[in-house]
Amino acid sequence: MLELRLVQATLFKNVVEALGDLFSTAHFNSSRTGLELQAKDNSRVTLIMLLLRAEAFDHYLCDRGLSMGLNLAGMAKAFCCTNNDDIITIKAEEDWSDTVTFTFESPEDGDEISYFHFDFMVINGVPLEIPEYPESEYQAIVRMPSAKFMPICNKLSSFGDRDTVVIISVDKESVDFLSRGKTGTLTIFCRETQTVDKPKEPTLIEMKEKVSLMFDLRYMNSSKASTLSDQVTISLSSKLPAVFEYKITEMSCIRYYMLPRNE
Amino acid sequence: GRKQSTITNYFVRS
């Protein structure tokens, strides 16, 4: 039996919306610790993982882990007409015919309740075991406001043809983004900033050694979940998938894993 | 060039 409730549908709607236009299907796995969503596209160089811990829910009942393959794009379309302040309940039973029900209830009078039933689908390739590599495994870790990172991704797309590449280079005090497309190149330099009075604002760089990695621009854009979080942490290594992490609340986060392209 | 590795080289099927 799985029964989860959020008294505000906003967070769940935003997550499904942010991911629904990038990944058509996703694997939901519920356990005692929380609800984990994994999605990957057929490029096989990116994977996204969202973890909403049980504490993030107002009611979390999961007596047996449930693994559900769902149509994320279909959910995003269905939920776009619900209200952010609706109460959302997610319910599934093992014995039911592989279906999960999302209930949206208007909070004040509860006079309107919408039941969305989604059938489970088989999704290849996910879920995957994602080891948590310690920070020491990465050559450089950059933390910056997502309000700063999102416009950078947009600018990098200004040359946005399909095969535009982005090179992210980290030095002691700066992180540079270079995008090279058919029509030209764009280089954006970001210096490290220290604004002690605004703890959420700074661009911080922890560099163990210089690193410069190339990514497909189209996957960089997928890390636009920044609307869900005020800070992005970018962990870079020439030996591991890069991680773009957005903490949504203390208990929840979204991580985009991206493999650098071979030079 | 080197064959592009895939994300599943780093993360195993659970």
Side-chain angles (χ1 to χ4, degrees):
Chain A
M1 161 84 170
L2 176 69
E3 191 179 68
L4 321 175
R5 185 168 303 118
L6 286 165
V7 291
Q8 280 255 316
T10 318
L11 170 60
F12 197 80
K13 272 171 57 95
N14 287 347
V15 160
V16 169
E17 201 173 310
L19 306 182
D21 60 359
L22 298 163
F23 303 95
S24 53
T25 60
H27 180 273
F28 288 73
N29 195 50
S30 63
S31 67
R32 290 193 192 295
T33 49
L35 182 66
E36 179 182 300
L37 180 158
Q38 279 193 22
K40 69 197 256 303
D41 59 4
N42 45 24
S43 71
R44 294 148 42 103
V45 292
T46 59
L47 170 81
I48 188 165
M49 190 282 288
L50 159 81
L51 177 62
L52 291 175
R53 288 196 188 285
E55 300 82 12
F57 290 86
D58 304 283
H59 165 70
Y60 190 93
L61 170 65
C62 170
D63 49 18
R64 209 166 68 85
L66 216 50
S67 173
M68 308 177 273
L70 293 174
N71 180 324
L72 201 59
M75 286 167 65
K77 189 163 172 295
F79 297 166
C80 69
C81 331
T82 57
N83 301 316
N84 276 343
D85 54 7
D86 279 350
I87 300 165
I88 178 174
T89 304
I90 304 169
K91 219 169 166 177
E93 310 258 359
E94 297 81 32
D95 51 352
W96 274 353
S97 61
D98 292 350
T99 303
V100 61
T101 303
F102 291 88
T103 307
F104 286 80
E105 201 173 337
S106 49
E108 311 81 39
D109 37 20
D111 65 343
E112 181 183 319
I113 302 183
S114 308
Y115 295 91
F116 296 92
H117 302 287
F118 287 94
D119 295 334
F120 297 172
M121 24 185 329
V122 176
I123 302 177
N124 301 321
V126 279
L128 296 173
E129 280 301 317
I130 304 175
E132 293 245 348
Y133 295 104
E135 290 203 353
S136 55
E137 294 281 313
Y138 294 96
Q139 283 139 291
I141 295 182
V142 177
R143 288 177 175 81
M144 71 165 61
S146 40
K148 181 172 176 165
F149 182 58
M150 202 150 122
I152 287 176
C153 287
N154 290 331
K155 274 188 215 155
L156 292 168
S157 309
S158 52
F159 288 107
D161 31 38
R162 285 257 330 143
D163 50 10
T164 303
V165 294
V166 179
I167 297 172
I168 304 179
S169 310
V170 183
D171 199 333
K172 205 155 175 37
E173 275 100 32
S174 74
V175 52
D176 312 334
F177 299 87
L178 180 147
S179 85
R180 185 169 52 222
K182 287 195 192 89
T183 51
T185 61
L186 162 67
T187 306
I188 302 170
F189 290 96
C190 298
R191 294 240 167 281
E192 185 169 35
T193 60
Q194 286 295 349
T195 46
V196 283
D197 54 336
K198 293 185 287 179
K200 284 229 168 76
E201 297 303 309
T203 296
L204 298 173
I205 294 173
E206 282 168 58
M207 187 199 82
K208 228 170 70 176
E209 57 180 285
K210 281 188 183 179
V211 61
S212 179
L213 296 170
M214 185 190 285
F215 299 96
D216 284 340
L217 174 65
R218 60 182 183 275
Y219 303 119
M220 284 282 294
N221 282 337
S222 64
S223 59
K224 272 187 180 172
S226 36
T227 48
L228 300 170
S229 168
D230 52 18
Q231 186 185 52
V232 61
T233 301
I234 305 171
S235 306
L236 296 171
S237 156
S238 48
K239 301 184 188 64
L240 294 172
V243 190
F244 295 75
E245 178 181 77
Y246 297 88
K247 277 205 180 0
I248 302 178
T249 63
E250 269 325 296
M251 288 99 63
S252 305
C253 72
I254 280 195
R255 288 194 191 125
Y256 288 83
Y257 296 90
M258 239 174 269
L259 279 192
R261 267 174 63 143
N262 300 335
E263 293 289 337
Chain B
R2 257 180 312 132
K3 190 167 164 304
Q4 170 73 45
S5 56
T6 69
I7 204 101
T8 38
N9 295 118
Y10 300 86
F11 303 149
V12 292
R13 289 297 305 266
S14 46

